[in-house]
Amino acid sequence: MMNPNNKLSLRIFAISLLLLATAICAQAQTNNSKDAGIGYFLNNPQVSFNKDVPTPFQVLGFNLGEQFPDWNDVLIYMRALRDSSPRVSIKEFGKSNENRRFIQVTITSPQNQKRIEEIRQAHLALCSSNFSGTTSGSNTGKSISSNSNGAGNNSGSNGAGSDAKLVVDLMASIHGNEASGVGAALVAAYYYAACTDPQVEKMLEEMVIVITPGLNPDGINKFASWVNNTRSFHPVANLDSREFSETWPSGRSNHYWADCNRDWLSVQHPEGQNSVDMYLEWMPNVVVDIHEQGNTQKGFYFSPGDANRTYENTPQKNQDLTMKIAQGTARALDQKGTLYFSKEGYDDFFIGKGAAYGDILGSICILHEQGSSRGFVRPTQNGLLTYKRTICNQSVAAMSVVESAWKMKDELIEYQHNFYKDIKSKAAASKVKALEFTAPNNGIAYHMLEVLLRHRIDVYRSGKDEKAFIIPMEQEKFYTIKALFDNITNFADSTFYDVSTWTFTHAFDLKIKELTSTATLGEKVVAFNEKSVKGVTVGEKSGNAVAATKNGESGFHASNLLKGEMIGGTSPIAYAFECDEFYAPSLIEKLLKAKLVVRVAKKSFTYKYDNIEKKFAPGTIIVPVNNQLPMGSEAVSEYTPSNAEMGGVLRFTIEQLAKQMGVKVYALQTGLMAEHDLGSSIFGNITAPKVAIITGRGMSVSQSGEIWRHLDLVYNFTHAAIDYSSLASADLSKFNVIVLADGTPTGLTPKGYLEKLERWVAGGGTLIVTGKAYALTNKMKTGGDSYLTDIKPVYHRGVEGVILKADFTKEGPLSWGRKSLTVPIYKMVGTTYQSKEGTILMRYNKDPYLSGCISKEHLRDIAGAPSAMLFTHGNGRAIFFADDMIWRSYWYGSSRVLTNAILFREMLK
């Protein structure tokens, strides 16, 4: 009889040989890979496929899981499917900041593909309650006529149409480094394009599968490039390996470092804009939003999430159907042996993300979160997690939703159609028939209209007040309107996966009136500008929001709001304009870049000449005619133009810029004013801002990116992003503003970099400091035991995104251009500050609450605390903001405060 110990030794030896053989096979496959097929990623690997349709390997040269596909790989493969399968079509949308094209892949039966536009229009007709005088979800910008059942001649007894097709949308990787979503999209696309299984063929006759293989092409490309370039071909499961240490700010974000999954409502970035366009293209019955979670200690997540944290206007039926679909996902993952969770951790509260946006538009939106491998093999407490396995889990889960939805086809179609019937009755019963809004200036009004039109929301000019706009409530986007403008003040839970409020009323600093009638409707707003305005892309040629004008619909063009003018002809004295318009800072910057003398009034003054009388507010800009060098010249020429000649040259230049930027400029015919003449000391010179943003690991990705985009796209200020590791060699004399955004550097820092920054401030530089970056200025010695700042943080835990009022302590440079000394601030964390030194520029209001979840105790503690402070040192200064003044790039009201700090920094004493 064999010794039991020998049996154990043989077993261990056999297992070791098996592991060795597996490793050798894996290595051989990596070095000399063959087409492994797609079976690993399926629950039914025995199905057959059309051999004329290529696998990913046949097109890309690698099996999924062996290499991270970049965006070009995705485009190449999807086009190969389109060219080889009559089931597949592709529509291209707009481009990313880095010129990568967004695509939407549509897969259905060949017969359906032949009439795909007819099917799409019929489906969109079901997403309408036939509201009178409104625009449907159609990309034509015109109403779709239908009978009372909403489905034309195809409607059946259930009102949804006997020939209606179910639409399921699989959306992948809006976070670029959540790469398993891209892989799963390629698996699903091949499967539905090539599978010859009779059930799949029947499914494709009855439904349309829409696949968006990546919602963040720039981030996807960045991450794939990083991992593919840092990998070892013998897999390394060590988190200290460079492969797992993606460079700051990582491929999660887009070109401007924004989390684009938070941009669905605000639509400020190409990723958010095109995501909404692609969603509205089909108005799918079911959406699967495919993500990864950083925590690999948890199992695979799928919706519905925490039932106590659901947006109030999401119907309970939506959650019930989500749960029903989830049962199929559980069965599919059980078959693969994948552990999961579904009723905790995440929620459907914030409507501005992909997994919730469609919930208030009749879709069932489902979030999938797979633990991320981040590289090819990652160690976890549950064993080794491979990139290949993450794709497998995502594929199985996503395709289980498609199958479950197909089995629930009639129920889902009926739900979506009834959703719009319910909206019509709710809108009709509402006492509020319309919302009227006015913005602080034309530029902000323009951008608010841009948001509304991108969501296909009908909006009109007021027939009584040309500055006001009216949004009727009786339209298909009833709940989207409420999501944009309702104050959120009631909560079933005090914990949120994202934020507790996002109200656009406060973001755009609007004045809102609730109307009980639509009798004052004027012209319909039909389009915004398709071209770039001051560097800001405000429309895409593929975008549906501008389609109305392409189809001949007349109405008011929002771009008319940006048309400035010159009043008073040519001036021999000076040109003046107030800085109250949104793009006035851009006009100032362009004048400074032209090397003109530009001055600002620290007090108000009154101009009277002929029939013109105008009181100019503090912050008014003066461009004197006398002693200006010829435009752009570096030295005085032998010929000096007369005042009349120079006045004419300046008029032409300023008038053209003013018209482009929506600024009203006055040609002053005298320097004599009622209070302070133009030669008074109340006028100070402005110098052109030259801004450096200190970046790198430890600094805030989102705030650094928001400020970068703000400087670059909105106002075109001269700027550079400098990694803190380069500070030792950087020539800081080239900059007069340095931004430290909500963080402190981690890792190696150059010796003496804080001392270098301190000397730069003392020499006249301006530090703009936000959030947690106070820790850096607290370490900057200014002599003896003194430091640049002495800010002490006070923590108030449990504040997760609230909107509060802050007040300027007095009228001054930060408030110039604003009509109110109170400004809505987005406060993401509850930290406030105390300081024995410094000048308080802004305080939270004594009664600060506007919207969001916060306790009375926290409100009491925050009320009256400093929101912005000024610290001076030598000839320079540090301006400190406790909060993010450009929150997610759509907080237009407070963004101007930060702009003023940069532009008028030298006026702050």
Side-chain angles (χ1 to χ4, degrees):
M1 180 179 291
M2 184 177 288
N3 188 317
N5 290 332
N6 290 339
K7 285 185 177 181
L8 179 61
S9 298
L10 284 171
R11 190 174 300 154
I12 293 172
F13 179 67
I15 292 172
S16 299
L17 283 176
L18 179 61
L19 291 173
L20 178 61
T22 301
I24 291 171
C25 289
Q27 181 71 13
Q29 186 184 48
T30 300
N31 294 335
N32 187 21
S33 185
K34 295 181 180 180
D35 192 345
I38 212 80
Y40 174 83
F41 304 103
L42 308 175
N43 269 342
N44 52 342
Q46 304 307 316
V47 295
S48 60
F49 294 94
N50 182 345
K51 293 182 180 180
D52 292 332
V53 180
T55 65
F57 178 87
Q58 290 171 324
V59 175
L60 303 178
F62 59 86
N63 288 299
L64 295 177
E66 292 179 356
Q67 182 171 318
F68 284 77
D70 62 25
W71 191 243
N72 197 47
D73 292 329
V74 173
L75 295 180
I76 289 171
Y77 184 65
M78 292 303 186
R79 288 165 181 164
L81 289 182
R82 176 197 60 194
D83 294 343
S84 60
S85 172
R87 299 176 179 177
V88 181
S89 62
I90 296 175
K91 181 169 182 177
E92 295 187 349
F93 283 75
K95 292 183 179 179
S96 71
N97 283 305
E98 296 174 17
N99 262 335
R100 294 186 175 91
R101 179 68 68 177
F102 292 83
I103 63 167
Q104 190 175 64
V105 181
T106 302
I107 304 178
T108 187
S109 70
Q111 294 76 19
N112 289 342
Q113 280 290 358
K114 291 177 182 177
R115 57 186 193 96
I116 194 66
E117 181 59 17
E118 177 188 338
I119 290 172
R120 189 179 75 86
Q121 294 286 0
H123 176 75
L124 294 178
L126 293 174
C127 304
S128 168
S129 295
N130 222 8
F131 287 102
S132 176
T134 65
T135 303
S136 75
S138 161
N139 80 328
T140 64
K142 296 181 178 179
S143 297
I144 299 174
S145 60
S146 60
N147 63 19
S148 59
N149 289 323
N153 296 327
N154 291 325
S155 62
S157 59
N158 64 4
S162 59
D163 191 38
K165 308 298 180 187
L166 182 77
V167 181
V168 177
D169 187 357
L170 307 180
M171 307 186 311
S173 302
I174 199 165
H175 296 137
N177 60 4
E178 298 178 2
S180 59
V182 175
L186 297 180
V187 171
Y190 172 72
Y191 181 81
Y192 293 117
C195 183
T196 57
D197 181 78
Q199 177 174 293
V200 171
E201 291 180 337
K202 182 170 177 57
M203 288 169 60
L204 293 178
E205 290 172 3
E206 298 180 359
M207 66 189 303
V208 175
I209 300 170
V210 176
I211 298 178
T212 310
L215 293 170
N216 182 1
D218 294 346
I220 290 166
N221 223 61
K222 181 179 179 181
F223 180 68
S225 180
W226 171 262
V227 182
N228 291 335
N229 276 281
T230 57
R231 69 174 298 183
S232 297
F233 286 96
H234 177 76
V236 178
N238 186 325
L239 293 181
D240 292 324
S241 175
R242 187 165 178 260
E243 176 183 331
F244 298 98
S245 299
E246 192 183 357
T247 54
W248 188 96
S250 90
R252 173 185 174 86
S253 53
N254 74 343
H255 178 82
Y256 284 109
W257 309 341
D259 182 342
C260 297
N261 193 41
R262 272 68 181 172
D263 193 45
W264 280 68
L265 273 182
S266 48
V267 287
Q268 299 299 303
H269 297 271
E271 292 76 15
Q273 294 164 1
N274 285 287
S275 292
V276 168
D277 274 352
M278 288 187 282
Y279 170 86
L280 295 175
E281 177 78 3
W282 273 100
M283 299 285 288
N285 299 92
V286 178
V287 174
V288 183
D289 191 15
I290 304 173
H291 286 257
E292 290 181 349
Q293 52 190 333
N295 190 336
T296 53
Q297 315 311 321
K298 296 179 180 179
F300 188 98
Y301 168 82
F302 51 87
S303 295
D306 193 321
N308 293 320
R309 304 201 305 260
T310 302
Y311 180 60
E312 63 181 355
N313 288 319
T314 300
Q316 181 57 45
K317 180 69 171 177
N318 172 290
Q319 297 294 284
D320 296 341
L321 291 170
T322 300
M323 195 66 197
K324 191 172 180 179
I325 292 171
Q327 294 170 5
T329 307
R331 288 192 296 271
L333 292 175
D334 285 343
Q335 191 173 336
K336 279 291 184 182
T338 300
L339 300 179
Y340 50 81
F341 66 106
S342 64
K343 296 176 284 294
E344 60 187 86
Y346 297 92
D347 60 50
D348 282 341
F349 187 81
F350 176 48
I351 296 300
K353 52 186 171 69
Y357 178 81
D359 284 335
I360 55 172
L361 289 167
S363 298
I364 307 299
C365 292
I366 295 170
L367 174 64
H368 285 180
E369 294 269 2
Q370 160 67 45
S372 176
S373 69
R374 279 298 185 266
F376 286 88
V377 182
R378 182 177 182 175
T380 76
Q381 70 177 23
N382 297 316
L384 296 180
L385 177 65
T386 67
Y387 168 47
K388 185 176 180 180
R389 178 66 186 195
T390 67
I391 297 174
C392 172
N393 290 339
Q394 297 277 33
S395 303
V396 167
M399 290 191 286
S400 77
V401 173
V402 174
E403 184 173 346
S404 294
W406 171 63
K407 292 175 180 177
M408 298 164 58
K409 172 178 177 282
D410 291 342
E411 188 175 10
L412 290 167
I413 291 174
E414 185 73 6
Y415 166 76
Q416 189 175 55
H417 184 56
N418 286 339
F419 178 89
Y420 285 95
K421 290 167 66 177
D422 183 61
I423 281 181
K424 186 168 187 177
S425 63
K426 278 188 169 58
S430 174
K431 292 181 180 179
V432 178
K433 296 303 179 184
L435 297 177
E436 179 183 278
F437 73 84
T438 53
N441 55 57
N442 285 340
I444 290 181
Y446 169 85
H447 285 293
M448 188 67 247
L449 294 173
E450 177 190 6
V451 169
L452 293 170
L453 291 185
R454 284 198 179 279
H455 291 297
R456 322 289 163 78
I457 292 171
D458 291 342
V459 57
Y460 300 79
R461 295 190 87 185
S462 167
K464 287 187 174 182
D465 179 0
E466 65 177 12
K467 293 287 186 181
F469 294 89
I470 298 175
I471 308 165
M473 296 302 291
E474 292 191 45
Q475 52 180 305
E476 281 93 341
K477 305 302 188 297
F478 175 77
Y479 285 132
T480 307
I481 296 167
K482 292 180 69 64
L484 289 170
F485 293 105
D486 278 359
N487 269 323
I488 305 173
T489 57
N490 297 314
F491 306 91
D493 201 322
S494 60
T495 303
F496 303 88
Y497 175 66
D498 191 63
V499 293
S500 68
T501 186
W502 52 86
T503 310
F504 281 59
T505 303
H506 305 307
F508 286 73
D509 202 7
L510 306 175
K511 291 182 179 179
I512 297 283
K513 289 182 182 178
E514 294 182 346
L515 305 181
T516 58
S517 159
T518 57
T520 57
L521 291 185
E523 279 188 297
K524 186 177 182 180
V525 181
V526 295
F528 54 86
N529 194 355
E530 292 185 55
K531 298 181 180 178
S532 177
V533 177
K534 280 77 57 191
V536 182
T537 300
V538 294
E540 291 287 348
K541 290 187 177 179
S542 62
N544 295 326
V546 297
T549 53
K550 294 177 183 178
N551 288 277
E553 186 175 357
S554 62
F556 178 75
H557 290 233
S559 55
N560 290 334
L561 292 170
L562 297 178
K563 293 181 178 179
E565 60 179 320
M566 176 70 74
I567 297 172
T570 300
S571 171
I573 305 294
Y575 295 91
F577 60 91
E578 292 182 308
C579 60
D580 56 344
E581 266 304 330
F582 185 76
Y583 285 107
S586 188
L587 175 54
I588 297 169
E589 169 71 356
K590 289 187 181 300
L591 296 173
L592 290 169
K593 282 182 177 176
K595 304 187 184 306
L596 293 171
V597 174
V598 180
R599 312 196 78 198
V600 62
K602 303 170 195 174
K603 296 182 180 180
S604 63
F605 63 96
T606 304
Y607 169 71
K608 295 180 180 179
Y609 189 86
D610 285 346
N611 296 322
I612 297 175
E613 180 173 343
K614 166 71 177 171
K615 184 171 183 177
F616 289 97
T620 292
I621 303 302
I622 297 293
V623 184
V625 172
N626 193 26
N627 296 328
Q628 295 280 14
L629 293 176
M631 302 289 287
S633 65
E634 295 289 345
V636 178
S637 64
E638 292 184 6
Y639 170 72
T640 302
S642 67
N643 277 11
E645 290 172 318
M646 195 62 198
V649 172
L650 283 176
R651 176 190 172 178
F652 176 80
T653 302
I654 296 173
E655 187 172 14
Q656 294 306 307
L657 291 172
K659 286 181 177 179
Q660 182 188 1
M661 297 173 191
V663 177
K664 185 181 290 186
V665 179
Y666 290 81
L668 305 182
Q669 302 301 322
T670 177
L672 183 67
M673 304 293 150
E675 308 92 346
H676 307 283
D677 299 334
L678 293 191
S680 168
S681 61
I682 71 157
F683 297 95
N685 282 25
I686 305 173
T687 56
K690 300 174 182 178
V691 187
I693 307 167
I694 304 304
T695 64
R697 200 175 299 275
M699 306 308 294
S700 170
V701 172
S702 58
Q703 285 198 40
S704 298
E706 288 158 5
I707 294 169
W708 175 27
R709 177 184 177 276
H710 191 70
L711 299 175
D712 189 26
L713 283 188
V714 179
Y715 289 132
N716 307 138
F717 286 2
T718 300
H719 65 282
I722 300 177
D723 194 274
Y724 64 80
S725 62
S726 302
L727 280 173
S729 58
D731 182 1
L732 299 187
S733 67
K734 294 179 179 178
F735 305 100
N736 49 34
V737 179
I738 292 179
V739 178
L740 302 170
D742 189 34
T744 58
T746 58
L748 295 175
T749 55
K751 185 177 180 181
Y753 82 102
L754 287 178
E755 291 85 347
K756 185 173 183 177
L757 283 173
E758 179 272 323
R759 291 193 299 272
W760 174 85
V761 173
T766 297
L767 276 180
I768 305 288
V769 186
T770 75
K772 297 187 293 293
Y774 74 88
L776 292 175
T777 57
N778 278 358
K779 294 178 182 178
M780 290 184 192
K781 273 201 168 185
T782 60
D785 294 328
S786 298
Y787 293 84
L788 184 58
T789 60
D790 68 338
I791 293 171
K792 303 294 187 296
V794 180
Y795 298 101
H796 310 286
R797 300 188 184 279
V799 177
E800 298 183 65
V802 297
I803 305 171
L804 305 177
K805 290 180 288 187
D807 300 322
F808 298 99
T809 53
K810 61 180 180 179
E811 188 175 64
L814 290 191
S815 69
W816 287 345
R818 290 186 53 84
K819 293 180 174 64
S820 171
L821 293 181
T822 298
V823 58
I825 299 289
Y826 200 96
K827 191 161 191 63
M828 186 58 197
V829 294
T831 306
T832 55
Y833 302 93
Q834 296 176 347
S835 175
K836 296 178 182 178
E837 300 178 2
T839 302
I840 298 174
L841 301 174
M842 295 173 65
R843 290 183 182 274
Y844 300 105
N845 191 275
K846 291 181 180 179
D847 183 18
Y849 181 73
L850 289 171
S851 182
C853 186
I854 185 171
S855 69
K856 291 181 180 179
E857 292 75 17
H858 286 340
L859 270 181
R860 182 190 63 226
D861 293 339
I862 292 172
S867 172
M869 301 185 71
L870 171 70
F871 297 83
T872 58
H873 173 51
N875 294 321
R877 65 207 57 79
I879 306 167
F880 184 84
F881 294 101
D883 303 302
D884 184 348
M885 304 302 285
I886 320 177
W887 171 253
R888 292 184 175 170
S889 294
Y890 80 103
W891 217 260
Y892 280 79
S894 61
S895 70
R896 182 55 179 277
V897 181
L898 180 69
T899 305
N900 283 359
I902 295 171
L903 199 57
F904 304 129
R905 62 198 178 278
E906 293 166 316
M907 308 300 158
L908 287 165
K909 305 292 185 181

